[in-house]
Amino acid sequence: MKKISLALTSLALAFSANTALANCDAGERVVKFSHVTGGTTHPKVVAANNFAERVNQEMNGKLCVEVFPNSTLFGDSKELEALLLGDVQLLAPSLSKFGSYTDKYGVFDLPFIFKDMDHAIRFTKTPEGKKLLLEMDEYAGFVGLGYWMSGMKYFSANKPLIEPSDASGLKFRVQTSDVAKQMIAAMDASPQAMAFSEVYGALQTGVVDGQENTWSNIYTKKFYEVQDSITETNHQLLAYLFMTSSEFLDSLSAEDRAQFLQIADDVTQEANLSVKAKEAANRANILKAGGKINTLTPEQLNVWVETMKPVWKQFENYIGKDLINAAAGA
């Protein structure tokens, strides 16, 4: 039985990306899985590796999944283009990255629309949530295989953030999401879109003053080292679209496609069941490593909610009022 083939960061620096394909057996079809996340405890890393292990064991002799983490094959700005060109077959980008293809995924970015991850998972299982998996198939050829939860987001900055007004005048790194940009603007702060791999250096050098992320991203990327503190705002969901192309799926036999999709669904369900424990562990890891976390009273948190709630109205015509209501009421 072949071993899982992982293109680890250290190897990728020393060898070309093609070197990572050496563990695939002759005659097997290589399936490249590129993502931008590093470390070993991050939910996306664990899920990607689990998926590769399942496929490489259960479809041995047919498919061989190679995982390229930490932007070692393609970074934030290139991975969707690479999927379109067939240079990679699997991705797991943040749902915030699809603004150029559809406005609908903006529903996941709306501040405080989900009370917690369980609420978000319930929405993904509704007819509206399932329909979104195929939102980009017709005109982009992108097919969602499942939603991988990463966690709720928290703000960090080079000063304590207890109220939204504390962020006034600061620069925050955001993903390429119009919703996220308006959310930052609601705090009288400046949004700066930036690739994930560049965030640590930007925080360290003062190019940006703060960022917003999950416990796992903050810990595995060591953002706490270059920030004053993290505030437990729980303001927004971070989830990934585990995705492929319709071209790749259509190239599989009916039997292989059914098996591939079943493994994808199994891994997705398993990943989402375990993510809360991983997030709690990485929150504890931040504290153990010397990071500081600011907790908010219900009254303080409500100020954040009220400050950001107008963002919903700004995007109602783009996302759709019915979709927003379906997510909020799931």
Side-chain angles (χ1 to χ4, degrees):
M1 183 82 57
K2 63 177 175 288
K3 299 178 181 178
I4 308 172
S5 184
L6 301 178
L8 299 175
T9 305
S10 58
L11 293 176
L13 292 173
F15 303 100
S16 71
N18 289 334
T19 305
L21 306 180
N23 289 335
C24 290
D25 298 335
E28 289 184 314
R29 182 175 181 181
V30 174
V31 180
K32 296 180 183 179
F33 189 164
S34 175
H35 66 79
V36 302
T37 310
T40 59
T41 63
H42 192 284
K44 186 199 291 188
V45 173
V46 174
N49 293 349
N50 286 346
F51 179 77
E53 183 176 14
R54 285 281 305 272
V55 171
N56 291 351
Q57 289 176 350
E58 297 172 31
M59 303 188 75
N60 188 27
K62 297 178 180 179
L63 300 179
C64 177
V65 176
E66 297 276 359
V67 181
F68 295 82
N70 210 29
S71 302
T72 52
L73 188 61
F74 295 104
D76 269 329
S77 61
K78 298 293 184 181
E79 59 182 7
L80 290 174
E81 179 185 356
L83 183 61
L84 284 171
L85 294 174
D87 294 331
V88 65
Q89 289 71 47
L90 293 167
L91 300 174
S94 165
L95 287 163
S96 298
K97 289 189 60 180
F98 297 104
S100 297
Y101 300 93
T102 177
D103 293 320
K104 300 297 183 183
Y105 284 126
V107 69
F108 291 98
D109 282 342
L110 291 173
F112 297 105
I113 193 167
F114 299 117
K115 296 178 177 64
D116 50 34
M117 276 188 290
D118 289 338
H119 183 179
I121 291 170
R122 286 197 303 273
F123 170 63
T124 65
K125 294 180 178 180
T126 64
E128 293 87 353
K130 291 177 180 178
K131 184 180 178 181
L132 286 176
L133 289 172
L134 301 177
E135 176 69 20
M136 299 178 289
D137 184 18
E138 183 176 349
Y139 50 90
F142 294 155
V143 177
L145 300 172
Y147 300 101
W148 286 2
M149 299 295 144
S150 181
M152 303 305 289
K153 287 185 183 180
Y154 313 96
F155 282 111
S156 71
N158 56 12
K159 59 179 283 191
L161 301 176
I162 305 303
E163 297 183 351
S165 58
D166 294 328
S168 179
L170 300 184
K171 294 172 291 185
F172 284 84
R173 179 267 175 177
V174 295
Q175 299 182 80
T176 53
S177 161
D178 289 339
V179 176
K181 291 174 184 176
Q182 290 303 311
M183 179 183 69
I184 298 300
M187 302 189 297
D188 192 33
S190 299
Q192 305 286 327
M194 184 180 297
F196 186 58
S197 60
E198 300 172 5
V199 178
Y200 184 95
L203 293 170
Q204 187 177 40
T205 58
V207 172
V208 293
D209 304 301
Q211 60 87 51
E212 38 125 28
N213 243 306
T214 61
W215 297 128
S216 293
N217 278 345
I218 293 168
Y219 176 67
T220 59
K221 285 297 186 178
K222 302 183 185 298
F223 296 154
Y224 61 88
E225 293 182 343
V226 287
Q227 296 279 262
D228 173 87
S229 55
I230 307 134
T231 301
E232 207 158 9
T233 45
N234 209 56
H235 62 276
Q236 194 183 50
L237 175 75
L238 176 60
Y240 307 107
L241 186 67
F242 179 35
M243 66 185 295
T244 186
S245 66
S246 54
E247 181 180 6
F248 170 71
L249 283 182
D250 291 345
S251 72
L252 300 177
S253 69
E255 180 183 358
D256 288 348
R257 182 165 59 250
Q259 185 177 12
F260 185 85
L261 291 174
Q262 185 60 58
I263 294 171
D265 187 62
D266 290 347
V267 170
T268 296
Q269 302 309 318
E270 179 185 341
N272 289 341
L273 284 173
S274 63
V275 70
K276 285 193 290 186
K278 292 184 178 68
E279 278 289 278
N282 282 324
R283 183 188 188 280
N285 286 336
I286 290 169
L287 292 172
K288 289 177 185 176
K292 181 181 177 183
I293 296 173
N294 306 311
T295 58
L296 301 176
T297 67
E299 293 77 18
Q300 289 170 330
L301 184 59
N302 189 58
V303 176
W304 290 86
V305 173
E306 292 303 314
T307 298
M308 295 180 178
K309 191 64 176 287
V311 175
W312 291 27
K313 195 69 176 177
Q314 289 178 299
F315 290 90
E316 190 175 272
N317 291 335
Y318 299 97
I319 296 170
K321 187 174 182 178
D322 289 346
L323 185 58
I324 291 173
N325 288 341

